[in-house]
Amino acid sequence: MRSAAFPGKNANAADPEGAGLRYQEAHPMRWSQAFIPTLREVPAEAEVPSHQLLLRAGYVRQVAAGLYAHLFLARRSFLKIAQIIREEMNRIGGQEFYLPALNPAELWQESGRWETVDVMFRLKDRNQHDLCLGMTHEEEMTNIARGELRSYRQLPQIWYQIQEKFRDEPRPKSGLLRLRQFVMKDSYSFDLDDAGLDVSYRKHVEAYRRIFDRCGLKTLFVEAFSGMMGGSESSEYTAPTDAGEDLIATSECGYAANLEKAEAQAPPAEDPAGEALPEPFPTPGQKSISDLVKFTKESPARMIKTLDYIVESRPVVLLLRGDHELSETKLIMALGTAVFRLATPEEALRLHGAHLGSLGPVGLKGARIVADRALEGRRDLIAGANRDDTHLRHVTPGRDFAAEFRDLRVVAEGDLCPRCGKPLKLTKSVELGHLFKLGRRYSDSMHAMVLDAEGNEVPLRMGSYGIGLERILSAAAEQNHDADGMFLPPSIAPFDVVVTAANMENADVRAAAEKTYEELLAASVEVLFDDRQERPGVKFKDADLIGVPYRITLGKRKLAQGLAEIFERSTKQIQDVKLDAVTATLKARCLQ
RNA sequence: CGGGGCGUGGCGCAGCCUGGUAGCGCGCUUGCCUUGGGCGCAAGAGGUCCGCGGUUCGAAUCCGCGCGCCCCGACCA
């Protein structure tokens, strides 16, 4: 694959799983001339390790919130990441495109997303024409498909691009983890039917597995929420790291789901026996669940939390167990709409006849009541009485009020796995790639049809699949660093090796370093030669920082014995090698 | 959008409360010295103190209005 894309000296390297891009010709690079602006101190704005390291190692510089310049080292890594992705997309039959980032509003108006998506950058041209900067390209790809795809004979198709995406994020953050402009590999599959879509989807699942493995990342494959993309099924690859914003629920049996999607049973709560009827009791000033817990000495699992929402301008009352939290993502699924908001205190007062803190479902009129499943079958609970400073005890759902039971709550650590019943663990994680079965979502709204074998006009079945390149680099830095810096996986590191001359003033050391450098270059090893007039300590610190997997050190003492040192950054193991065996040894390791 | 923090040389910070010549460490330049883990000595260069307006004889410092960046929350293909 490498040889096809980059014919050259490496063409016959026996490396079908290759490390991605290799430069066709030797790329001489002396550190004294390279722009690698390393920083000794951590810039104050950087919080998460990957952000600190990418700044300190001279990979990137910030331009504005969520906008970063990729400097020399970052660019090299991104080219390698892109090439790995390219090879794996091509392997599953993908065809690389390149669409404009700037797009007309019309297509988005047609799909209906012009109104519903709020993180899109919009602008007008000199003729007051509405345009947007692409945050994804379903509309544009569908537009090409509907114009050109006519027959089932042309299917399936997988089209992809590696291209800039723009999002007017409410809060860019964490360095390269949440950006306003970023590079995405986005692909789109077009099939005749759902079975075909399944195949395209599974191909992507497999391609993504290979991509992230080759990039040296530890990932989880999880069930996900499809959100505003629409569609029926979605999953994602995420990289566990503390810098991640997503929480992933995992269990021993292999179940793994994004918290937005995760389902679970709450550990059972014990309710008293008996058929006591609701009975008001005074709770002066007790407004929150935690107030009530202290006041009644009952467990929060025995309370009903009442939340008022306005859903498409109608009131809906949501009920949750006292110790549970509402998932607005699940609420979207339960209600079938994302048009809702929390009711104002005034609206709640009007509906319940009581102020916030004493709201409850019993005797309530004029609102739909949706309760979380964890309340189903419970009895003798505590709820607001719809009278100020008063609650009810002995409230039993079903008997004392009617409700629809839906999954509404955020799963918590220790909840029971829906598959195996064992407790779930929660892990922070970075979303790297997302896969969506879109089905007819765009082909219906944009009328993308083909003829099937019987001559019937049928809508294309689509999938869309994204990978964030910056997140791959960031996650790699998050997962592979120590106090001294990064040790990036060799496949995505900007260089294979740094050659460090401990002392450039020493003629023998200098000559040996120059010779080693030339040899490695000739052998197509990607080598950065640290020829700077610096003290050895400075060079070692810098080499440790920038994430290059190996360092070859030439120093006068070992050189006198004809030896060089190979230092492996990730393990800090040092191996002494005869000077004339350096290239062969390294080549066996780096280009394996 | 709500809450909090911060803006002073390339980086990290002090100075602000109590107004009066803008400072420290690192980095940078030059020379000497040193050469296996950010060495030492000496001499230098480098700042619209985020911006605008106000108060004042005088503003980095006090007041007002903006802007930017970071963090928490909300939100998020």
Side-chain angles (χ1 to χ4, degrees):
Chain A
M1 317 215 90
R2 164 191 297 174
S3 53
F6 290 92
K9 285 180 183 164
N10 281 299
N12 45 19
D15 182 25
E17 299 299 306
L21 174 138
R22 309 223 68 94
Y23 290 85
Q24 179 175 345
E25 298 298 335
H27 182 174
M29 190 48 63
R30 288 168 183 264
W31 201 316
S32 61
Q33 296 307 309
F35 185 65
I36 305 173
T38 57
L39 299 172
R40 187 179 295 209
E41 298 186 79
V42 181
E45 73 267 16
E47 185 100 344
V48 301
S50 59
H51 190 197
Q52 297 181 345
L53 288 165
L54 291 171
L55 286 170
R56 283 193 57 212
Y59 275 59
V60 299
R61 286 294 182 262
Q62 186 175 42
V63 175
L67 300 173
Y68 283 81
H70 299 176
L71 309 183
F72 179 55
L73 293 185
R75 183 61 182 160
R76 287 183 70 102
S77 279
F78 282 125
L79 286 171
K80 292 188 175 190
I81 293 167
Q83 185 59 18
I84 289 171
I85 292 173
R86 203 167 263 134
E87 288 172 12
E88 295 303 333
M89 290 307 300
N90 292 348
R91 183 196 288 270
I92 63 167
Q95 302 164 69
E96 186 166 359
F97 286 23
Y98 191 83
L99 272 49
L102 186 61
N103 285 291
E106 279 80 2
L107 293 172
W108 289 72
Q109 287 161 347
E110 205 178 332
S111 73
R113 292 163 100 196
W114 183 257
E115 274 73 35
T116 57
V117 171
D118 70 341
V119 294
M120 192 156 56
F121 277 106
R122 297 150 199 268
L123 64 155
K124 286 184 190 293
D125 67 15
R126 62 175 68 237
N127 298 318
Q128 299 305 302
H129 221 85
D130 283 317
L131 297 163
C132 60
L133 292 175
M135 47 185 278
T136 177
H137 282 76
E138 280 76 16
E139 280 78 356
E140 291 76 15
M141 287 286 188
T142 305
N143 183 45
I144 293 170
R146 70 175 169 186
E148 313 296 334
L149 295 176
R150 288 280 113 92
S151 157
Y152 73 98
R153 293 175 195 275
Q154 297 168 289
L155 301 178
Q157 293 285 321
I158 294 174
W159 301 343
Y160 77 95
Q161 57 177 343
I162 297 172
Q163 188 244 24
E164 301 74 26
K165 295 288 185 282
F166 299 84
R167 279 189 184 183
D168 193 358
E169 285 286 346
R171 182 144 98 87
K173 61 178 218 181
S174 303
L176 301 197
L177 283 174
R178 188 163 211 72
L179 294 162
R180 292 195 293 176
Q181 176 179 340
F182 56 100
V183 180
M184 179 187 258
K185 186 290 299 177
D186 48 322
S187 50
Y188 306 86
S189 66
F190 300 92
D191 282 277
L192 180 66
D193 51 28
D194 290 341
L197 172 55
D198 285 344
V199 172
S200 295
Y201 189 85
R202 280 203 304 276
K203 281 183 176 174
H204 277 86
V205 170
E206 177 55 25
Y208 278 27
R209 159 106 288 140
R210 298 179 58 86
I211 288 166
F212 298 127
D213 284 352
R214 284 182 59 185
C215 289
L217 294 168
K218 298 188 233 2
T219 57
L220 292 170
F221 181 60
V222 305
E223 293 180 18
F225 169 67
S226 21
M228 66 207 324
M229 295 291 298
S232 60
E233 189 180 338
S234 118
S235 49
E236 60 194 31
Y237 280 94
T238 74
T241 144
D242 284 341
E245 316 178 79
D246 291 352
L247 280 171
I248 304 299
T250 59
S251 112
E252 285 175 29
C253 68
Y255 175 80
N258 191 309
L259 213 60
E260 291 179 333
K261 166 88 179 190
E263 294 175 24
Q265 297 164 282
E270 288 289 316
D271 294 327
E275 294 295 333
L277 292 175
E279 175 195 356
F281 64 105
T283 52
Q286 311 299 312
K287 298 213 174 290
S288 69
I289 295 288
S290 57
D291 291 342
L292 274 176
V293 168
K294 279 186 218 130
F295 186 78
T296 63
K297 307 278 192 284
E298 288 276 4
S299 141
R302 303 217 53 252
M303 320 227 165
I304 295 177
K305 188 190 286 186
T306 304
L307 300 171
D308 284 8
Y309 269 72
I310 304 297
V311 180
E312 292 176 341
S313 66
R314 296 172 166 277
V316 174
V317 174
L318 306 176
L319 305 178
L320 290 147
R321 214 169 89 173
D323 55 338
H324 287 165
E325 203 183 324
L326 175 71
S327 161
E328 293 208 338
T329 307
K330 288 184 174 178
L331 188 57
I332 293 173
M333 303 304 281
L335 298 171
T337 172
V339 184
F340 56 71
R341 61 174 172 84
L342 199 58
T344 63
E346 295 72 32
E347 287 166 334
L349 174 62
R350 220 171 300 139
L351 181 64
H352 292 266
H355 289 90
L356 298 187
S358 297
L359 308 184
V362 178
L364 194 66
K365 299 261 189 300
R368 178 178 171 194
I369 300 178
V370 183
D372 182 65
R373 289 229 158 83
L375 292 174
E376 200 165 12
R378 300 290 305 283
R379 46 188 295 125
D380 203 352
L381 304 174
I382 294 170
N386 293 330
R387 194 198 309 165
D388 283 349
D389 295 327
T390 310
H391 281 74
L392 296 175
R393 56 173 129 249
H394 313 314
V395 173
T396 295
R399 183 192 67 186
D400 301 322
F401 63 90
E404 305 162 47
F405 290 97
R406 311 297 292 264
D407 183 22
L408 292 180
R409 75 192 178 90
V410 179
V411 165
E413 177 114 23
D415 281 356
L416 306 179
C417 171
R419 295 223 193 114
C420 70
K422 298 222 172 101
L424 290 171
K425 273 198 306 209
L426 299 186
T427 309
K428 276 188 175 178
S429 201
V430 171
E431 176 185 352
L432 298 175
H434 207 146
L435 305 97
F436 299 91
K437 277 188 188 173
L438 299 174
R440 298 159 55 157
R441 163 67 182 84
Y442 295 88
S443 26
D444 279 348
S445 57
M446 297 180 65
H447 201 71
M449 314 289 279
V450 293
L451 294 181
D452 68 13
E454 280 80 46
N456 302 311
E457 197 174 58
V458 297
L460 286 165
R461 304 306 152 91
M462 283 179 62
S464 92
Y465 318 86
I467 292 179
L469 295 245
E470 282 89 343
R471 285 184 171 185
I472 290 180
L473 218 213
S474 295
E478 292 286 341
Q479 292 184 347
N480 303 285
H481 72 272
D482 56 25
D484 294 320
M486 300 185 274
F487 34 100
L488 292 179
S491 57
I492 66 171
F495 285 93
D496 296 326
V497 59
V498 175
V499 170
T500 299
N503 179 2
M504 287 296 282
E505 298 286 301
N506 181 305
D508 293 340
V509 168
R510 177 177 200 135
E514 291 276 3
K515 182 160 174 289
T516 304
Y517 167 58
E518 293 296 340
E519 261 183 40
L520 287 164
L521 271 184
S524 292
V525 175
E526 293 175 20
V527 53
L528 175 62
F529 179 25
D530 193 349
D531 62 334
R532 292 176 297 170
Q533 301 282 354
E534 290 284 357
R535 293 178 59 83
V538 172
K539 297 185 172 194
F540 295 154
K541 289 288 183 192
D542 272 346
D544 287 348
L545 224 204
I546 65 169
V548 174
Y550 295 97
R551 185 184 81 216
I552 294 171
T553 315
L554 285 309
K556 77 175 173 201
R557 200 170 315 140
K558 285 184 182 169
L559 189 60
Q561 307 166 52
L563 295 175
E565 247 173 40
I566 299 181
F567 171 83
E568 184 176 34
R569 176 63 183 82
S570 59
T571 60
K572 301 201 167 169
Q573 301 267 305
I574 292 173
Q575 183 189 355
D576 290 335
V577 177
K578 283 223 168 72
L579 207 53
D580 55 12
V582 165
T583 299
T585 307
L586 201 79
K587 191 148 184 179
R589 290 218 217 164
C590 293
L591 306 179
Q592 60 195 349

